[in-house]
Amino acid sequence: MSALDRIDHGLLMKAVCSHSKEGGIQLYIERWLTAPFETTDGERLPRERGVPQGGVVSSILMNLFMRYTFDAWMKRTNPSCPFARHADDALVHCRTRMQAEEDLPPELIKQLNLPRYKRIGASLLGRLARDLSYRGKGVGELLLVDALKRSLVMSRQIASAAVIVDAKDEKVQRFYRDFGFIPFPESQKRLFLAMATIQRLYPEI
């Protein structure tokens, strides 16, 4: 279960109201958040927290919420640690192993309503390669999609939270960025894609 599934509606609406005073916008966002979830059997289940996975504005709302929680906490308590984040997917760069293994404070865990993790695993992809005769035929894209799907399947056995790649030049960086990869702050040639994002891209896996 990700932060998208756990987000507190009351806290989220406070963030929304601080940015928009339009009553209509606030009303429709609140209605959208609390709309019941319908199962394949036609049963309607109440939605008391979280935002729909893959929803059209879920990432925007999560970014807004995390701005006032995680981002603010990081800037206040760990100004020397750069981090990259999109919605509920984030990687923090620490200077020491002790710092990397330090637990999040209880107040932040409670605020974000998240489980506690001491370490986060990731899968590092080797360089994708194809014969020059296949250049421009979309083979690289097919290889990456296959690698992402395989990584997603394996993540259920090895507890991998993200896929990491190394780009040899700017052209390769753009290739990975087109798939949603996010560069590390300290090295634009190393990028990551959270496993939760891959799951949303390929829900059938």
Side-chain angles (χ1 to χ4, degrees):
M1 185 175 288
S2 69
L4 282 169
D5 302 305
R6 295 170 173 265
I7 189 170
D8 183 279
H9 287 170
L11 294 176
L12 177 56
M13 286 307 301
K14 284 184 179 180
V16 171
C17 292
S18 69
H19 284 268
S20 174
K21 305 303 181 183
E22 295 289 336
I25 292 177
Q26 297 173 11
L27 176 63
Y28 277 104
I29 289 179
E30 188 170 16
R31 285 180 175 177
W32 181 77
L33 287 173
T34 57
F37 173 78
E38 186 171 332
T39 67
T40 54
D41 298 328
E43 181 183 4
R44 291 192 174 186
L45 304 175
R47 192 188 300 275
E48 299 175 348
R49 64 180 182 179
V51 294
Q53 292 278 358
V56 292
V57 295
S58 294
S59 294
I60 296 175
L61 293 176
M62 194 65 202
N63 273 324
L64 181 62
F65 180 75
M66 293 290 275
R67 175 183 177 184
Y68 290 105
T69 53
F70 181 79
D71 295 2
W73 176 80
M74 282 295 299
K75 292 176 181 179
R76 185 176 68 254
T77 62
N78 297 278
S80 63
C81 295
F83 63 93
R85 183 188 62 74
H86 174 69
D88 60 336
D89 304 323
L91 286 180
V92 179
H93 300 263
C94 301
R95 296 182 179 275
T96 66
R97 178 174 177 176
M98 181 179 298
Q99 190 179 45
E101 295 179 353
E102 182 180 356
D103 289 341
L104 292 175
E107 61 270 18
L108 186 63
I109 293 290
K110 182 178 181 180
Q111 189 176 26
L112 294 179
N113 195 23
L114 293 174
R116 302 183 72 172
Y117 299 105
K118 288 188 175 181
R119 299 180 183 179
I120 298 178
S123 301
L124 177 63
L125 292 187
R127 183 172 297 174
L128 300 175
R130 46 94 179 99
D131 190 272
L132 290 177
S133 60
Y134 290 97
R135 177 180 292 176
K137 297 182 179 181
V139 175
E141 288 83 353
L142 292 175
L143 288 173
L144 180 57
V145 169
D146 181 67
L148 293 178
K149 290 182 176 180
R150 290 175 182 272
S151 298
L152 179 60
V153 172
M154 290 304 299
S155 69
R156 294 156 190 162
Q157 301 180 35
I158 62 175
S160 173
V163 171
I164 297 175
V165 295
D166 291 310
K168 65 177 182 178
D169 52 38
E170 292 184 2
K171 181 179 179 180
V172 179
Q173 289 177 41
R174 291 194 299 271
F175 171 79
Y176 285 122
R177 283 173 181 264
D178 287 343
F179 275 85
F181 278 81
I182 301 173
F184 284 78
E186 296 178 345
S187 176
Q188 295 293 304
K189 290 186 177 181
R190 170 157 282 198
L191 307 93
F192 76 93
L193 185 64
M195 209 62 71
T197 301
I198 300 174
Q199 179 66 76
R200 292 194 289 270
L201 290 174
Y202 310 109
E204 73 279 4
I205 302 298

